[in-house]
Every structure is written in C-alpha cells, then in structure tokens.
Amino acid sequence: MKCVFILTDKAWLGSSLQYKWQKTLGNYIAVAGNDNSVKIFDRHGQKRNELNLPGRCVEMDWDKDGDILAVIAEKSSSIYLWDASVNKTSQIDSGMRDQMSFILWSKTSPLLAVGTAKGNLLIYNQQTSRKIPVLGKHTKRITCGCWNTQNLLALGSDDRTMTISNPEGDTIRQTSLRSEPADIFFSVMKTDERSSGESTVSVSVGKKTLFLFNLNDPENPIELAFQPRYGSIVSYRWYGDGYILIGFSHGYFVVISTHIREIGQELYQAHNHKDSLNSVAISTSLNKAASCGDNSIKIHELSDLKDISSIIHLSDETKGLDQLNWTDDGQLLALSTQRGTLHVFLTRLPILGDSFGTRLAYLTSLLEVTVSNQVEGEKPVAIEVEVEPTFIAMGPFHVAVGMNNRAWFYALVDHDPGFNRLKDIEYLGTIASMCLNSDYAAALFEGKVQLHMIEGEDQEEKKQMKLFPDDDRKGRILCHALTADFLYYGTDSGSVVCVLLEDWQTVNSYSHSLGVRKVFPDPNGTRLVFIDDKNGGFLLSPGNATDSCYELPNFSPTITGVLWENWSADRGVFVAYDDDKVYTYALHKTTIYGPQVVLVGSTALLLSQKPLLLYNGELTCQTPSGKTSEVALSTHSFLNRPSSTQPDTPQELSKQLSQALMLRRFPEAWDLCKSTGSAVDWEEMGQACLVHMEVELAIQVYRMSGNVGMGLSLQGIQGIEDRNLLAGHLAMFLNDYNLAQDLYLSSSCPISALEMRRDLLHWDSALMLAKRLAEDQISFISKEYAVHLELIGDYVNALSHYEKGMTHDKKFQDHDESCQAGVARMSIRMGDIRRGASQAIQHPSRVLKKECGAILESMKQFSEAAQLYEKGQYYDKAASVYIRCKNWAKVGELLPHVSSPKIHLQYAKAKEMDGKYKEAAHAYESAKDWDNVIRVLLDHLNNPEDAVRIVRETQSIDGAKMVARFFLRLNDYGSAIQFLVLSQCNDEAFQLAQQHGQMEVYADIIGSEATQEDYQSIALYFEGEKKHLQAGKFFQKCGQYSRALKHFLKCPTTDENLAVEMAIETVGQAKDLSLTSQLTDYLMGDSDGMPKDAKYLFRLYMALQQYREAARTAIIIAREEQCAGNYRNAHDVLFSMYTELQAQKIKIPAEMATNLMILHSYILVKIHVKRGDHLKGARMLIRVSNNISKFPEHIVSILTSAVIECHRAGLKNSAFSFAAMLMRPEYRHKIDPKYRKKIEAMVRRPDTSELEEETTPCPFCGFQLPQNELLCISCKNNLPYCIATGRHMLKEDWSVCPHCEFPALYSQLILLLETESACPMCSESLSVKQVKKISDCSSYLQTDELEY
C-alpha cells in the first residue's frame, strides 16, 4: 500500500479528528478538528472548500449519493449543508432549542435524522424540506444510531435505552440496556430461514458486551460477553453472511458468527496488536479487513483471515492512532491519529492500462502512469499526470491519458525523464475510448470516432482530422481500434469497417446481423476478432475475400477483451478473457478442413487482474496494487517443462503434446515425442501434421514411429502442388472419406474420388461418380458391386449388376466370363434353375459348376446338382448327391473316380443288401471299413486267408474276434487263441487254452502285453501241471520272486542251464537277501553237494550289481578258461567285467587289468602275423612268453611261435633265449618235429644280435621308454596301452574306440583298419571314419583307475 497524502493543520494539533469520506464516489473527504471549521479535501489531498462554524463540529455525514454533506456544530441550532456538485453551502434551522448531538442520513432516501442532547429527534426530508420533530424520543443525550434499508431508524441514548422508529418518527420497538450504548448497526442475522430484510440491530453496550436485538423476536435478545483479557470493545463491523468482526482495546481481533448454532463461538481470534487496538474497518469491495493500533495498520483477507496481505508502520505517530475508514470503492483508506494528522493510503488502484506491441502503459498511482517494455528490456518510465485518468491509450511512441472530454498526450523519448508532454486536446464529447499508432490518435465519443495527427501544427492538424462515419445514417460507432495501417470500427447496425489510414478511405466493410460492441485486430491488422451485442465472438479476415467470418467456438458470454499473441511465430494465436479465466484460441489457416478457429484451453486468472499483453504463452496482467504480474498460460505448459530431476508424467506429456499440436508448435511437439517415445504420441503428431498439410514433417514423424506404410504413402503424394488434391489424399489417410471426395472433385484430378470409393468398396458412390467421370468403368464397378451384393445375400440386385457388368468385348473376356458365372449363380438363386444350370454347363469354369451344384444341392435339386458336379469332375460330390437320389447305377459308374470312404461305404452297404458280396467286400475295402470286409469274407465268401491277412495288417480288434470265432468253429484252438488275444479277450483266450491244453500257445502269444493277473493265472496253471520252468518264468513276470525261484531250482537237469539263468535274473530283480542266499547255496553246491559252473555265480553277482565279487569271480573264470586254452573266452570275460566296473566307476583290480593286457597281447599276435607285420607280432609274443605260466596248455606252441617270429623279425637274441627254454627236458619232446632241428641248430650255434627297440616318451612325464614298456621307471605309473599294437600310448597320437573307449595310437589303428573291420578289443565293427584323433587326452590319463 502506498501513502497518497497526509493532512495536517496547526489548529488540529493534539486533538482527535472527525472525518467522513464522500459516499459512493469517494472523491472528497471532510475533516473537522478542534477549530470551528470543516475542511473538505479531494482524493489527492487538495483542499476544495472550508465551512466556518460558530462552534466546534459535533458530527457530520454524507447523504447516500455523496452529493450533500450535513454538519452540526456547537452553539448553533442550524444544520449546515454543503453541495459537492455546485460547491455551495446552505443552512437549515432545525428548530431545536437544545444542543444537537447526532446526525445521520438514510441509506435509501433523502431523510436526515438529527438527535439532541436532551433526547429529542428531528427527521428532515431534504427533497420536500419537511421537518418532523419528535420530542422525548429519549430522556437523555442521543449518542448513536443507524438507518436500515427499510428506512427504520435505530437510536441509542445515555438513558440506556434503544428505540426503533419508522420514517415518521413513531417508535415501533424499544428496549432497555444494561449500560450506555455505542456503535449501532442494522444487519441480517445468519439463520436457516431466508430473511426479509435487515431485521437485526447490534449495539455495543458499555463497550463490554454485544447486544443483538431481532425485530421479529423482540422478547429474546442475545447479549454476547467476551473474555476480560480482550479489553473493551473499541469498534466492530458486520460483513458477509452474518459475521461480525470486533476489535478490542488490548489489541485482539475477533470474528464471530451470528448463526444460532454457532453463536458464541469465535471463528477467528488474533492478537493483532501488542498493546492496543484503536479501530477496525471493512471494505466489501476489496473483501478486506483492516485494524490499527501500536502505530501500525494490518490488512487481512476476509476470505482467509490468517492471510495478512500488508502491514503499514507509522513510526512518527507517537501519540497513537485513532479512526480507520475506507472509501466505498475500497481505493483509499484514511487513518486519523491522536496527534491530529490524517493519513490517506492507496489500497486499490483503478485498473487502467493499454498496450501496443510489447510496450505497456498502466496506472501505478492515482496520478502516475508507468510505461514499460519487459520483452525488449527497456527501462520503465513513470509519467506524472495532471488528472486522475479514466482511460489510457498506448502507441509505439506516445501515451495518452484523459478523462471526460479531455486528453493529454505524452511523447516517449530516450533522455530523462523519458517523456515529453506534448499537448492536451478537448473533444466534442466525453471520450469512451482512445487508440494510438505511430502517427494518429483515434478517439471515440458519442457514437463517432475522431481521427487526427498526434504531432503537428494546429492548422495542419485540423487538416489532418476527420470524423467517422461520414453519414449519421450509417449508425453509431460502438467500438474502434487502430493498427499501423488501418482504422477499424464497429457500429450498432452491425458493420465492421476497415479504413486505410494512407488515404482515409474505407477499403472493406463487413455486415453482421447484430451490433458490434468491440473489435480487436491483430498486430498486422489482417485479422480481427469482434464481439456482438449478444456476446458472441467472431473472427474476420477483412483483407481475404475468400475467408468468411468464423464464429469462435465455446465463446463465453462474460468475455470482456481479446489479446493477440505478439510472438512472431504464433501470429494466429489469441486469448479472450473475462474476470476469472483466459481462453486460448488458435487460427488454423491451412488445414484439410479449410481455415478453422479452435479453442485450445483455458487458464484461471487471479482476482481483479486485467490482461495487457500476450507474448509467447505468457500473459502480463495489471493488478489492483499498480503492478504487473506474469501468468503462464496452462495451454502453453510445454514451454515450461520441469527439470530432468522431476520429469512430467505420461499423462502430462500427452496433454502438453495435444496443446503444442493445437497451437501448431511442431518443433516443440517433436521434442515432446522424442522425450516420451510413445507410439500413441507419435501417431497423434502424425495425424496433426496430416490435418495441417505438413507432409514433409509427417513423413519424418511416421518414420520415427515405425509406420513405414504411411511414410511411403506420403512420399508418393509429396510433390503434389494442387492443394485440393493434396488435401483429398490427406483426408483419405485420416479416414474422412466424404471430405476427401469433396476435395478430390474440386481438384484438378476428380477421378481420384472414384478410385478411392472403389478401393473402399463404396459401390453406390463409385457408380454415381463413374457416371459423371468415367462411364467406361461402369461395367467393372457393376461387376465388383454385384460380387459384394452376392456376399450379403442381395441376389436380385446382384443379378442386375452382373448383367450390367457385361462388356461384350473380347479384350475383357475374363471379366465377361466372371459376369456370366455370376448371372448363372444368381439365376439359380432366384429360381430360374434351367437358365442357371444351362449357363453353368456351357461355362468353361469347373469351379462355377461346383458352386452352382452346391446352390442346387442346398435347394434340394439333387439331380441337377449331381449333373453339374459330374460335369465339373467333382466325382465325390456327384456320387454323394446320386446316393441321395438312390441312383446306384450312376454311383457305380463314378466309383472308380471316387476317393471318399463314406461314399464307398454307402455303396458297399447297398451292394451287400443286393447280395453282391464280392463287390461289397471290394467297396468296404476301398472305404477302409476293415471289420465289414472281414465279416463279408468270413460269413459270405468263406475266405479266411484274406480275413487273417487283413486282421494282421490292420490289427482290428473286432475283426480279430470274428476270425477267432471262425477258427473256434473249425476247432483250430491255437489260431482261435491267437486272435482272441489280438482282440484283447484275454480271459476267453485263457479259458480256451486251459480247456484244450494250449497254455504254452497262449503264453507265447500273450507276450509282454498281459497284466499281472494274466501272468499269475498262467503260472498257477503251469504249477498245477508240474511244469516248473514255465511256472517259474510267469511267477517271475508277475513279481512273485520267491515262488519263481522255488520252481527254477526244481527244474529237471534237461532245463537246468536255462533254469539257473532265469533264477539268477529273478534274484537280481528281487533284491532279497534270503533269495540271494538260497541261490548262492545252490550254486556253491551246499544244497545238493554239486557245485555249479562259476559263470553262474559271476552272472548272479552281476545281476545283484555286486561288482567287486563279480570281478573276483570273473578273474577265476578267466583263469580257468585260460588254463583250458580258451583264451578268447577268457579275454571276453575280463573285458566285459572291465567295462562294467568302469561304467559303475569302481576301481579295476590290477590282476584283472594285467591279465586282460596279456590276453589281448596274445590276440594281437595272430592279427599282426596274419598282416605280415612280424616285428609287432614278435614283440607281443615276447610279452606273452615272459608270462608263459598263464598259458599252461600251449607253452610249447607259444614258445615255438616266439622263436620263429623273433627270428623273422631279426630279434636273434630273443629267439635264442626262447629256443634254449624249449630245450628243457619237459618241453623238448613236445616240439613240432618240423621245427625241432632248426631250433636245436639255433641253440648250438647261437646268434646274440638283437634289433634295438625304439623309444617313445611316457604320456605322463615324457621320459623316453621302449615302445612296448608299460611301466615308467621315472614316474612309476602304469601306462595305458594301444589296443592295436600293445605299445604304450603317446599323447600326440591318441584316439579311442568309439564303442569300448579303450585307447589306441591313432596312426596304428588307422593302419590296422585298412585290413581289419572290427575293434581288436571289443570286436565291434569299426571303420576309419568312426575314429577321431584326440588332441587333449588329459581326461584319459587318470592314475587312480587301478586297484592294487
């Protein structure tokens, strides 16, 4: 708040002042001090008049209109009246003998109430000069009073009574009070019922309580007392819906409600001033409350009393403050002090302002106008004006202010103080509004606009002055506006006139149906918005003859003004505003729908703000405090996006995108889409680009969104220059086909409309367009339309269009054939079967015959349908329909061509009924109905061989039953059982086998398909027959292992081997210790004294997975086989045990490994000798001969072979050693005679030369060893040996047999497989392709595989 002026006077010093603001207008303030005068000042603090009185002023009051001030003074019985309108003072004799003490004007009429010190009353009618004296109204001094809106007068007196009187002075209510009254007010008490008027009187009683007296309920007054700590009541005011604001002497500020349910409750309480409170005041126009005390004023918002809008400190007022009062309009607040001064503060300025471009002029004080340009960054210029203006006009270089019929012009300059006063001009009437541009001023007054130069000589100015309109018959001008080049004005007759300033000629005039109240051109003057008498808003482009006038959508009737966007990129955007909201509109000049105006959205305005300027989505508003505030339009929220730390939600981003697109802010929309990445947002932007015909941008958008099809489609139309054709394509892409058609037809390529309708299958429209644009296409469209009609079942129209579609042109033969086919189908559908069938038969198409046949079949015209099917070579369908006609002869003819089993089956049944069984059987077979084939073969053709064959091939259960019954009749029980089992009749088969002693047959047939019960039944049967082997076998299958073992052990010697094998298998499955022990005793001979072959014990251990015992047994068996000379058997036993132990990951006994190695070396001898590789054979024979004790049966033959092979291989010393061994007496006589002499000669003449054995590295440590050495003397490891040569393995030449995984030297195994086809270890077939060289053999070099 700003202090406007301070009033002081020497005569006032040290005394309290009385003052009263002029009611309604607030232009004057009357002030009285201790001197005998009343001084009258204007609202700027200038003294206007002074009333000299015979004594000190007692009281004064302004009438309801603020025209007359009434004053009463001491030592005078006169009433002094000052008329503000003529500045004259008059006196009225009251006729009262005693001193007047109270004066008050009525709120609604020219009645003046005057009270005296002795309690008398005078009511004076200022209009009629009638005086009504009322003597004895009170017995003591009348001190206070109040009129209500019904002209009732309440008076309070020192006699502690309060009276209510009517305008005639008659007392209608009277009540006594506890103490002296003060501050009487009429108001409406807050009740649940609607009140008829101001019926409640409130009065402060003794400054301690508040007394509420209801005129409608005088018997029940309410007296409210307050906390003592508040102090006494200083003053109070009513406001709002029955609320009372009370100020207390100790600084408290309290609000109470008078609603009966809330009465006595404090709604708000604050200790507003520390020591004391002097006065409170309320301004309903501002909706504010004020309190003063402790040298300060505090202003509260009535809507939220906690909100203190401002605090004013008056530090120089040492004696304290006094009374506080607002003008009725709330603009000025007066405060008197106990020192005798009066402070006047500006609390609300008239909202006056104007803008031109980005420059603003607005009222910042009652006599100060500020010019600013925040967009350009110019320094504000404050202009002191001579009068309080009622209008302000802003131009690019000038400011005009004025009131009534006078205007003052100021030029803006670069040097201090920033302005020059040019002149003031008086016009011919009171100025309603004024506009400026760089050269001219246009003033509107009394329905005319005066246009004149702002600067220039007076005489030239008169020349450069003109009044509009030229003719009064053209109507009164209600509004006007000025741009750089044009003057616009609107008249009450509905004309919007555009005047070119260059030659002052009317260049355009638009006639509207209603009077035009306001016009708002854009900065260029090319478009304007106007508001008519019915508060409708319209956009007009005066310079564009093709553009009509557009009504603004959702235009609020409360709108008072329009501002155009001053940012160059948004020239088509403007806002319309009222007191509460700002509505953003955008003009879309180029769209597929033509020019459009859209409402983008609305933004709420704070109370009492007037928009002055719109720039890039930001609204500059003038506030009542004389400042400006910036309001960011919610429709431009995309310009004020938050930082990355608090990103917008997807919903907010979507809303921002929609706003940016409606404002045609495509760069910002692009950035928004890139930040969100949502496919929906890209699609929305793409559609907006299509609407606004931004094809290049739309292509980029659809590329970003991944819509390749739309991108390619847009590229195809990118270069089209015809706007209507381009818009038509875009409307089609947006699915607005009617609009697209209209645009196509108005373009240079109207045929596009026809193409579109054909593509959309809109055949009616396409035909209508074809008649106008392309008659040669009618036939083709008719045919396509007919196809569509046929699909939806409209056969009558389909037939008509098929007939119209015929071209009878050989060039379009396929087309005509399609039409003929349609005619055929539709003729049949319409009942003209002969015509349709005839055309179908003549037509070359097979498919047509099938289609027509199906239609006829659905119509139950079977004969014709079958003929068409047959003509079309659809034999299955033809035969099926002939069957329905019972035409078996035709069916028989077609049968060789029929593939459907169902038809064959129907034919077969018919032939069987006719007794033609062979044909029936053949037809059943074609239908794959095997059961009936078998039945006919057995029952009618007596051909069991084919029946059995078919049962075996098809596994038919029912067929098997029939065959079984057939064999049963022939007493062929074995065959019968076989087919009963095949038909899953196990119980019948079992009974048959039992009856006829065919259980072995049944048991063989049932195989593994039987159930546990079946196996048990067979076992029990064999048990009864004492056939122990079969009984044991089937007890084993049904899981009764104990009984199975018992029967196996009872088997006679003829079946002993098989029985023992089965017993071992049974015990292995049972995993029962007692059974195991029983069988072990049997095998060891404990039960019958006859030990069985060790191989059975080995197999038992294997079955029980007791691999260690099995291994020991295997070694024993192998040793026995070896002793018997069965070296291959011994090798195979050890090998199988070796692989089993490896599979179970059990350590292999060293003895087993050694024996297997020696036996394998023996087997390799034969292989290498046979291949002629005597050195390898000799080396293996040396190894075998060194362990000759393991081959007792063939010592001599092995040593003989060793001598011969060593001699051949050049190992003479080794040959001599073995020859010498043979010369021992126990062997000598056993030498083969043909070798004896040679061996003896070799011993007699020894040759000790020896071919040295090659060395190769140990695979573990790399130490060089002889090739055939299997123990490394360096690392003490047993070395793996090659199964092809017997040598130790080499890391770089490693491979394994893919079957047994025993190692072999890759190069030697490949060499061996050139002549051999099996693995020398496992005897499995092996080829070179199966052997792979292993580069990393570390996994095979494990040292813990052997058990020592």
Side-chain angles (χ1 to χ4, degrees), residues 107 146-150 185-202 212-216 237-244 256-260 263:
K107 292 179 182 178
C146 183
W147 291 91
N148 76 353
T149 51
Q150 286 83 39
F185 294 106
F186 269 104
S187 191
V188 180
M189 195 165 170
K190 188 177 178 186
T191 59
D192 290 329
E193 296 82 25
R194 190 174 284 276
S195 175
S196 58
E198 292 181 337
S199 57
T200 302
V201 183
S202 62
L212 301 178
F213 181 77
N214 192 336
L215 300 182
N216 300 325
R237 296 289 184 272
W238 288 78
Y239 75 94
D241 188 13
Y243 298 105
I244 303 177
I256 63 170
S257 169
T258 59
H259 195 287
I260 198 66
I263 203 149

Side-chain angles (χ1 to χ4, degrees), residues 98 116-120 135-142 157-161 163 174:
D98 52 331
T116 69
K118 291 185 179 180
N120 299 319
L135 301 178
K137 175 64 73 174
H138 286 273
T139 58
K140 289 187 178 179
R141 183 186 186 92
I142 295 173
S157 167
D158 287 345
D159 63 3
R160 298 188 178 183
T161 62
T163 59
Q174 183 168 356

Side-chain angles (χ1 to χ4, degrees), residues 54-276:
R56 191 175 64 84
C57 173
V58 174
E59 202 162 346
M60 55 186 165
D61 193 31
W62 291 88
D63 72 349
K64 64 181 179 69
D65 299 319
D67 293 335
I68 297 172
L69 175 68
V71 182
I72 54 174
E74 291 178 349
K75 303 174 186 177
S76 173
S77 61
S78 296
I79 301 169
Y80 297 88
L81 301 177
W82 181 71
D83 191 333
S85 57
V86 293
N87 195 14
K88 284 188 178 180
T89 306
S90 57
Q91 293 182 28
I92 302 167
D93 184 8
S94 65
M96 295 290 183
R97 301 285 178 92
D98 52 331
Q99 177 62 48
M100 289 180 285
S101 61
F102 168 78
I103 189 167
L104 189 68
W105 285 98
S106 167
K107 292 179 182 178
T108 57
S109 62
L111 297 179
L112 178 65
V114 181
T116 69
K118 291 185 179 180
N120 299 319
L121 173 67
L122 171 70
I123 295 176
Y124 170 68
N125 189 323
Q126 196 266 339
Q127 197 169 351
T128 62
S129 300
R130 180 188 175 197
K131 298 175 189 174
I132 303 174
V134 182
L135 301 178
K137 175 64 73 174
H138 286 273
T139 58
K140 289 187 178 179
R141 183 186 186 92
I142 295 173
T143 57
C144 54
C146 183
W147 291 91
N148 76 353
T149 51
Q150 286 83 39
N151 259 355
L152 296 180
L153 175 64
L155 295 173
S157 167
D158 287 345
D159 63 3
R160 298 188 178 183
T161 62
M162 181 176 69
T163 59
I164 312 297
S165 307
N166 62 18
E168 302 298 320
D170 301 328
T171 301
I172 58 173
R173 290 279 188 273
Q174 183 168 356
T175 184
S176 59
L177 305 170
R178 294 184 183 182
S179 184
E180 291 81 10
D183 285 350
I184 292 180
F185 294 106
F186 269 104
S187 191
V188 180
M189 195 165 170
K190 188 177 178 186
T191 59
D192 290 329
E193 296 82 25
R194 190 174 284 276
S195 175
S196 58
E198 292 181 337
S199 57
T200 302
V201 183
S202 62
V203 59
S204 168
V205 179
K207 297 195 175 181
K208 294 294 183 186
T209 63
L210 197 62
F211 185 81
L212 301 178
F213 181 77
N214 192 336
L215 300 182
N216 300 325
D217 188 12
E219 302 303 321
N220 296 303
I222 298 169
E223 192 164 5
L224 302 174
F226 300 93
Q227 298 180 41
R229 66 189 178 98
Y230 291 171
S232 59
I233 297 173
V234 174
S235 63
Y236 72 93
R237 296 289 184 272
W238 288 78
Y239 75 94
D241 188 13
Y243 298 105
I244 303 177
L245 169 68
I246 311 168
F248 293 90
S249 60
H250 290 174
Y252 285 91
F253 179 91
V254 177
V255 174
I256 63 170
S257 169
T258 59
H259 195 287
I260 198 66
R261 285 182 298 193
E262 299 172 337
I263 203 149
Q265 294 181 22
E266 295 179 1
L267 302 182
Y268 177 77
Q269 177 262 331
H271 198 175
N272 240 21
H273 303 280
K274 184 179 178 183
D275 297 324
S276 65

Side-chain angles (χ1 to χ4, degrees), residues 44 350-354 361-363 365-369 383-394 398-410 421 423-427 429-436 442-444:
H44 307 298
I351 297 185
L352 280 180
D354 193 22
Y362 53 94
L363 200 63
S365 183
L366 292 176
L367 296 174
E368 181 184 83
V369 174
I383 302 173
E384 296 291 335
V385 296
E386 298 176 18
V387 296
E388 188 175 335
T390 56
F391 67 84
I392 296 175
M394 184 76 224
H398 305 89
V399 182
V401 299
M403 64 178 294
N404 298 334
N405 67 335
R406 195 169 179 189
W408 285 261
F409 291 88
Y410 299 87
R421 182 179 180 283
K423 58 186 172 182
D424 62 290
I425 298 176
E426 287 192 17
Y427 294 88
T430 301
I431 300 169
S433 63
M434 178 175 278
C435 301
L436 306 182
L444 171 63

